[in-house]
Amino acid sequence: MLKTISKGVSIFLMVVTFYIGGIPLYSSITSAEETSIGFEDHFDSFDPTLWFRSDGWANGADFGVGWVRDHVEFAEGKMMLRLDDAPNNNNKPYTSGEFYTLEKYSYGRIEGRIKVAKGVGLVTSLFTYSQNGDEIDIEILGKDTTKLETNFFVGGIRGINAHAIIDLGFDASEDYHNYAIEWSANNIKWFVDGELVRTVNGDGIKLPSEPSHIMANLWSGAGAAARTWTGEFVYPGSPVRAYYDYIKFTPEREDDSTTLPSTPSLTYLKELLDNYMATGEVNGPLTKQLINSIKQAEHQYEKGHKDQAIKSMEDFIKHINNQGLQKHISSNAKLVLIENAEALIQLWLN
């Protein structure tokens, strides 16, 4: 399976206070340097150059778990966070897993394919967190796994219009689905299975801006969190797991834009595709299909067969829209490539 990662950097561990969903936690988060390189991990095994597993500590009264590293498991190309009643050193009734990137990442797209844990009191997450409390959340509560909770914090304080609940239209505990955050200086966007479900624009609203670690955890609420938000967790007698098929980060490109050149061209489309392949925004089997479509269009156009060249561009668009390949293209790359391909078709039709 594909695994593309950035190189590790020197790490200095320090204890800091941070928040998830407005609840204080205490973690041995790292003071790693920021990186502009993306990664994609399909979890064949644990990668110590990319991830850190929390171990031997616990959060405050609102969390019913202590973190232990062996509760982050790997099997059959999946990463699993296991919550059970195994003993821990923190006087918590349950034990679970948490992991986060060694390095910090700035603006870009954070994406994961996840099957969440079901059960009142549980929270499955994918989120960003900076040492000063900037945070962007994807959270699904086990009490209603048909809802996605979106949220963000700036300096540990919940942002304006930060929290919103999205009706998924499916049970997120029954199968894997893609969840993504696109984070820029101007807005935050949340996606589910490639579809935009929420946008917060920065017009008059302060947004998270600090380079952040990418994190995931599975936990049970306790104390005030259980009473007011997650519900009270009752252990079912056997371990509960949240499953992660992959996690991916694609850095924002400085030239990201849907602006077309004055005259659309195959050369420009090829350059766009090459750039998206280099950043990982187009990857996997989709790359070969798109390259072949462009080559066919080029060949037919040079022979003067505009109708066949147009058909190749239509095939190019069909490949991009193939539902089975959506995990191999970012929403931004999809938008830009389709717009440029459609412009070429219109140019040739005229």
Side-chain angles (χ1 to χ4, degrees), residues 17-282:
T17 303
F18 67 103
Y19 291 78
I20 294 178
I23 302 168
L25 299 88
Y26 299 88
S27 170
S28 56
I29 203 82
T30 68
S31 58
E33 297 176 6
E34 177 189 356
T35 179
S36 61
I37 302 173
F39 70 83
E40 181 171 358
D41 194 346
H42 283 247
F43 298 127
D44 292 320
S45 61
F46 176 67
D47 187 344
T49 70
L50 182 58
W51 302 105
F52 181 86
R53 291 175 287 190
S54 296
D55 189 48
W57 62 275
N59 299 87
D62 290 310
F63 282 70
V65 301
W67 308 118
V68 174
R69 61 183 289 117
D70 68 4
H71 281 57
V72 180
E73 305 172 322
F74 295 84
E76 299 179 351
K78 303 289 188 294
M79 190 276 294
M80 295 157 285
L81 301 180
R82 184 180 88 240
L83 187 153
D84 60 23
D85 60 353
N88 56 67
N89 297 325
N90 308 107
N91 296 317
K92 295 289 187 177
Y94 308 111
T95 299
S96 192
E98 174 185 74
F99 72 111
Y100 51 86
T101 56
L102 295 175
E103 298 183 18
K104 294 181 289 187
Y105 300 86
S106 191
Y107 299 131
R109 179 181 174 91
I110 303 97
E111 181 177 347
R113 186 165 175 80
I114 306 168
K115 183 166 70 171
V116 310
K118 192 178 187 71
V120 174
L122 297 173
V123 182
T124 303
S125 73
L126 175 64
F127 60 102
T128 66
Y129 181 75
S130 79
Q131 288 176 311
N132 292 318
D134 278 13
E135 179 180 345
I136 308 172
D137 295 327
I138 288 173
E139 294 173 312
I140 298 180
L141 274 58
K143 69 179 183 181
D144 187 352
T145 50
T146 68
K147 301 290 192 300
L148 166 68
E149 302 221 4
T150 62
N151 214 346
F152 69 89
F153 297 80
V154 180
I157 299 172
R158 191 190 301 271
I160 298 172
N161 300 326
H163 181 253
I165 298 175
I166 309 299
D167 190 348
L168 293 171
F170 56 79
D171 187 336
S173 70
E174 292 182 350
D175 204 352
Y176 289 92
H177 292 272
N178 292 347
Y179 305 91
I181 298 164
E182 286 192 1
W183 171 34
S184 74
N186 300 318
N187 55 58
I188 305 170
K189 298 179 180 180
W190 285 264
F191 295 80
V192 177
D193 291 334
E195 296 296 322
L196 178 65
V197 296
R198 186 188 181 205
T199 300
V200 174
N201 291 313
D203 299 333
I205 296 177
K206 192 172 183 180
L207 299 177
S209 60
E210 293 189 342
S212 300
H213 298 272
I214 298 170
M215 305 185 66
N217 57 25
L218 170 65
W219 54 283
S220 59
R227 292 191 299 272
T228 63
W229 185 44
T230 66
E232 297 284 349
F233 178 66
V234 177
Y235 188 60
S238 59
V240 180
R241 289 176 172 86
Y243 299 83
Y244 295 73
D245 183 33
Y246 72 86
I247 291 178
K248 175 182 177 181
F249 173 74
T250 305
E252 181 181 64
R253 289 157 41 92
E254 290 184 4
D255 61 346
D256 272 346
S257 171
T258 59
T259 303
L260 297 174
S262 56
T263 303
S265 70
L266 275 170
T267 300
Y268 182 72
L269 185 62
K270 285 168 64 179
E271 289 175 356
L272 281 173
L273 180 58
D274 287 343
N275 287 334
Y276 286 131
M277 289 165 56
T279 61
E281 291 183 74
V282 177

